[in-house]
Amino acid sequence: MVETTVKTLNSLVNGTSLPGEAGTVRGVDPARNAETGPEFTLLAESQVEEATRAAAEAFESYRRTDPETRSAFLRTAADRLEESGEAIVESVQIETGLPEGRARGELARTVGQLRLFARVAEAGDYLGVRIEPALPERTPLPRPDLRQRKLPLGPVAVFGASNFPLAFSVGGGDTASALAAGCPVVFKAHNAHPGTAQLVGRAITQAVEENGLHPGTFSLLYGRGSAVGQALVRDPRIKAVGFTGSRSGGTSLMETAAAREVPIPVYAEMSSINPIFLLPSAVRGDRKKLAADFVASLNGSAGQLCTAPGLLLVPSGEDGDDFVRQVVEELTSTSGLTMLTSGICNARVEGEERLRGVSGVEAAAQGQAGSTENAPAPAVYSTDVETFLSTPELSDEIFGAVCLIIRYDSDERLLDFVDGLEGQLTATLHLDAEDGDDAAAAGRLLERLELTVGRILFNGWPTGVDVGDAIVHGGPYPATSDGRSTSVGTLAIERFLRPVAYQNVPEGLRPTELRDENPWDLVRRVDGEYQLPES
Ligand code: NAP
């Protein structure tokens, strides 16, 4: 079924609407497999430089904005997003099949992220100011006056994911952190939620205008990844890339960025299977509740979360057997939810078929298919550590509500398992910390896991990421392209900055943040000691 459309909408480039020359796309309601909303024109590769030229021009003034101006801009963007909240929530539900509660929660998180980065811009500690005043009398050599601050890299290309149409999309964490750092953003809209992208893009464009910033500070491009996305990353004016999505997409952009005459960093968050370790004391406790909580984490958002539990390690023995029976019971009465697109649903179904075909893997439990299109039944399979370690494809992410239970018979096997694990966003341990044996085993696991994982949790579930100062949403490859950073939380700003040292620069010529009188009231490290602002 195809609904009639009322109008055609375009990319938002340099403050204006730019019609694309490479066809059109419409949103699709995945619950009905039906096109919905207006048409969006797609840009041709050759049109990308209208946005990158404008972004490069904008960089000249935007990078010099003071903390107040930058934070006011981010707060205005948050306000405008909130004002369009009802339309955004409706659009998210139609284009992604995600329920209203999830859409509202994600909107609140996105608005909160923009305000958080407004505070980061205002505080200015990300500038990392370090001052070592001259020591002319030092022997054997005098010390020069050395001052360091961090500068924004330049225009950043951002690619959003299908599974977070707000928090990892147009106004999401990559955009907020790049803008807070002083980098203009050119955003490649995800074609699975074009209407939502337009609403958020307009809110940010309006904030740019209201705050008197150069219109090239933010642009939103509709186009095919293979054409517009690749052209964007090849463009010499783009200085860094933020990406969330598939491993194939992320690695392709890494290759494109590395092949440029001047290579640039790509911060891609890609694939993770998030192992959960149930230690023996955990399955001696309330197994029914543990099983219910696991199934809720597995099936939430149809399993389309980068932190969804893909591996569950369960001890062999009667308690473990009974826990698996509780999972079977819980899952049997659980229905599948609408997935984001028919393509993602098909990939999930094919992934499950491949899993079923692996020797040593058995079906353990299956839920019910949902009542809409694209809502396959959640499923759990079972194997042992030996099979997992000898079958590389079992490490591949299946994006959706499919989990592999791995039975283990000793702590040593768990350590072997961790040694064979690829980089992960999360790992979770369940145990009774009063149990001495399990506490000791958990200590050994922790020491190994911290080398492979971005976030380690105890007695909880990895789905649900708290956005703040201490969070890490990252991890070694293939969880991300660069395990030294995070794509969620305030530390994300570091990805878009570069330190520069200024030696013996006269006070009158020093950048504002490095002047003796500290006009921006910054936290600074002076002669090895942190100094807090006086106000
Ligand atoms: P995706 O297919 O990687 O797409 C993300 C964005 O990148 C889209 O705008 C896409 O544009 C663009 N893109 C993808 N490949 C590209 C390439 N080679 N060159 C240039 N641009 C490219 O991710 P998705 O649509 O969000 O989800 C698809 C699959 O990714 C899922 O089935 C799942 O396996 C995985 N996934 C993983 C996570 C995670 O966090 N671990 C999150 C989301 C998705 P076009 O669509 O126009 O190509």
Side-chain angles (χ1 to χ4, degrees), residues 159-163 188-191 223-226 229-230 243-246 248-249 252-253 269-272 306 344 347 397 399:
F159 295 73
S162 56
N163 59 337
K188 163 25 193 127
H190 200 296
N191 292 326
R224 310 255 173 238
S226 52
Q230 290 286 337
F243 171 92
T244 309
S246 61
S248 59
S252 165
L253 293 176
E269 192 237 293
M270 300 176 289
S271 69
S272 183
C306 34
I344 288 177
E397 179 188 44
F399 194 60

